[in-house]
Amino acid sequence: MDRLTTIAQKFAGARAVTELRAFGSGNINDTFLVTIADDLEPHFVLQRINTHVFQQPALVMQNMRIFTQHVCAKMQREPEQVARRWAVPRVLLTVDDLDHWVEPDGSYWRAISFIDGSETLDIIQDIAHGRAVGYALGRFHYLISDLDPTKLADTLVGFHITPQYLADYLQVLAAATPSDNREVNYCLDFVRSRQEWAQVLEKAKDDGKLPLRPIHGDPKVNNVLICTMTQQAIGMIDLDTVKPGLVHYDIGDCLRSGCNPLGEETPDWEQVRFDTPMCRAILDGYLSQARGFLSGDDYDYLFDAIRLIAFELGLRFFTDYLAGNVYFKVKYPTHNLDRALVQFGLTASIEAQEAEIRSIIEDLRR
């Protein structure tokens, strides 16, 4: 704690650090809530960036500065568009005016402002919460829809590029000896029958139908800030993955994580179902903010995005299982296989409800 307090003091300056504790439920960065002697802003968030995941942390910070400056300037230019509170985490500087602090062992630390009167929830509570989650992502996309994506560094090269994940899978599969059992054979057949389709979004991008835009990169439910007083969405956090990409990656990932009532760790993978009423609520909230910048082609590929991102995550889990669990943390040897089965079960449910999901999209695009 003495070491952490010393680091926190680099960002607190003359204000004494009075308390420091672990904070949040993220599994990438080490995060702490710092209390300081300041009546106006008594807290800030201190984080050690995981440099195994983000190998160029300076670019992560560069993206964060560009993003936050753009959003804050846009909100000032368009005050009439700010119908309710929207909070943007600020990058805090050290006493030497740096946006980071590097320890002798290479540990890379940064501090961001704490947004009071807010909370994050790990699962969607109800339809109203689902609509708020969709609103948050739509608001986020709207605020950066006019930010030139070429100004942002790609801090996770290859992230959400499904054809590359498929190529990695095929390489791992060629060197593996999969177990001959029902679950493994199901996964093998599931991937085999969808190999050609897996390029759908990247092909649309290459054909000029879907443009690169700034994206959040990890729009799961617990990255949405909810106001503790109004229960409205007031911001999005975990901005390390902000980068150029397709908004369809974000939309698909948000719906994948929000429309699976049994959760991603359920042992009953054959009972996994995609919740279409929740899908409608999330998309309704999203389009209330994003409708103005989406094109006809964007709408045409929304169903593919919902289907693809669930399949992609299942593919990544199954690849890691075949490789010996080298990427995702596991609690038992078949953990990644079980996770893959959940995502493939969700994909199958999405496919079975294609007509209904497309009908929801058509209803909401009008």
Side-chain angles (χ1 to χ4, degrees):
M1 291 302 295
D2 289 344
R3 170 173 165 257
L4 290 174
T5 300
T6 299
I7 296 168
Q9 200 67 61
K10 301 291 184 184
F11 296 92
R15 301 163 298 178
V17 173
T18 59
E19 186 182 0
L20 193 151
R21 62 179 175 87
F23 184 65
S25 59
N27 57 8
I28 301 236
N29 298 323
D30 297 323
T31 305
F32 303 89
L33 183 64
V34 181
T35 302
I36 58 177
D38 187 323
D39 292 337
L40 294 179
E41 290 190 84
H43 307 290
F44 68 84
V45 176
L46 179 70
Q47 288 186 314
R48 176 167 55 187
I49 295 179
N50 186 330
T51 52
H52 293 289
V53 175
F54 301 102
Q55 297 182 7
Q56 295 181 288
L59 294 182
V60 171
M61 296 307 299
Q62 175 182 295
N63 281 359
M64 186 175 288
R65 291 197 310 273
I66 291 171
F67 158 80
T68 55
Q69 289 168 6
H70 178 89
V71 169
C72 290
K74 185 168 184 173
M75 291 173 65
Q76 289 180 343
R77 290 197 309 271
E78 302 179 1
E80 72 282 356
Q81 295 293 329
V82 186
R84 64 194 200 207
R85 180 186 179 194
W86 186 259
V88 183
R90 303 189 326 274
V91 176
L92 305 182
L93 302 181
T94 68
V95 291
D96 298 318
D97 287 330
L98 299 175
D99 62 13
H100 63 279
W101 178 264
V102 181
E103 291 187 274
D105 66 357
S107 295
Y108 197 102
W109 293 85
R110 57 103 180 274
I112 56 177
S113 60
F114 174 74
I115 298 172
D116 61 359
S118 67
E119 63 181 345
T120 61
L121 302 169
D122 287 333
I123 59 173
I124 288 184
Q125 307 296 302
D126 50 32
I127 289 294
H129 184 203
R131 190 172 287 109
V133 167
Y135 170 92
L137 182 59
R139 185 69 181 159
F140 182 91
H141 280 171
Y142 166 74
L143 288 169
I144 56 175
S145 60
D146 56 347
L147 171 60
D148 182 354
T150 63
K151 292 183 177 180
L152 298 175
D154 189 344
T155 53
L156 288 172
V157 176
F159 186 56
H160 280 319
I161 309 300
T162 314
Q164 183 58 57
Y165 291 129
L166 182 60
D168 295 341
Y169 162 78
L170 293 173
Q171 184 177 3
V172 168
L173 180 62
T177 306
S179 301
D180 184 12
N181 61 50
R182 174 174 172 266
E183 289 79 12
V184 170
N185 288 334
Y186 175 86
C187 290
L188 291 169
D189 290 340
F190 199 90
V191 175
R192 186 182 302 114
S193 63
R194 291 161 179 79
Q195 286 186 203
E196 294 301 321
W197 163 80
Q199 304 181 51
V200 59
L201 291 187
E202 286 302 300
K203 185 176 186 304
K205 181 185 71 177
D206 293 342
D207 291 344
K209 296 179 180 179
L210 300 180
L212 280 179
R213 296 184 176 105
I215 64 171
H216 182 279
D218 190 19
K220 57 190 178 183
V221 174
N222 60 6
N223 280 333
V224 174
L225 283 179
I226 300 293
C227 176
T228 54
M229 293 287 291
T230 66
Q231 298 304 302
Q232 293 180 330
I234 58 169
M236 294 195 71
I237 57 171
D238 199 356
L239 305 176
D240 294 339
T241 49
V242 170
K243 55 170 276 182
L246 301 179
V247 294
H248 292 68
Y249 300 153
D250 275 357
I251 299 168
D253 206 17
C254 183
L255 289 165
R256 177 201 62 75
S257 65
C259 298
N260 176 6
L262 293 184
E264 298 182 8
E265 299 287 334
T266 177
D268 299 321
W269 68 271
E270 291 180 290
Q271 301 303 314
V272 170
R273 296 292 181 270
F274 184 80
D275 186 335
T276 53
M278 188 61 73
C279 173
R280 177 182 285 274
I282 293 173
L283 279 177
D284 186 33
Y286 178 80
L287 292 173
S288 73
Q289 299 299 301
R291 185 174 281 108
F293 69 82
L294 294 181
S295 69
D297 284 334
D298 286 326
Y299 282 102
D300 290 344
Y301 283 92
L302 282 183
F303 174 78
D304 290 306
I306 297 168
R307 179 187 176 199
L308 183 69
I309 301 304
F311 170 77
E312 176 187 286
L313 184 56
L315 177 65
R316 294 177 64 198
F317 283 139
F318 188 47
T319 302
D320 202 32
Y321 165 73
L322 294 174
N325 303 317
V326 296
Y327 184 82
F328 296 105
K329 294 179 181 179
V330 295
K331 297 178 181 177
Y332 52 92
T334 60
H335 196 173
N336 276 324
L337 174 61
D338 292 344
R339 288 164 165 165
L341 288 164
V342 170
Q343 295 304 319
F344 289 157
L346 189 64
T347 305
S349 178
I350 292 167
E351 293 169 346
Q353 299 179 89
E354 178 174 355
E356 182 176 356
I357 296 169
R358 287 191 182 277
S359 177
I360 290 170
I361 294 169
E362 286 303 310
D363 286 348
L364 294 176
R365 73 183 291 180
R366 298 191 181 105

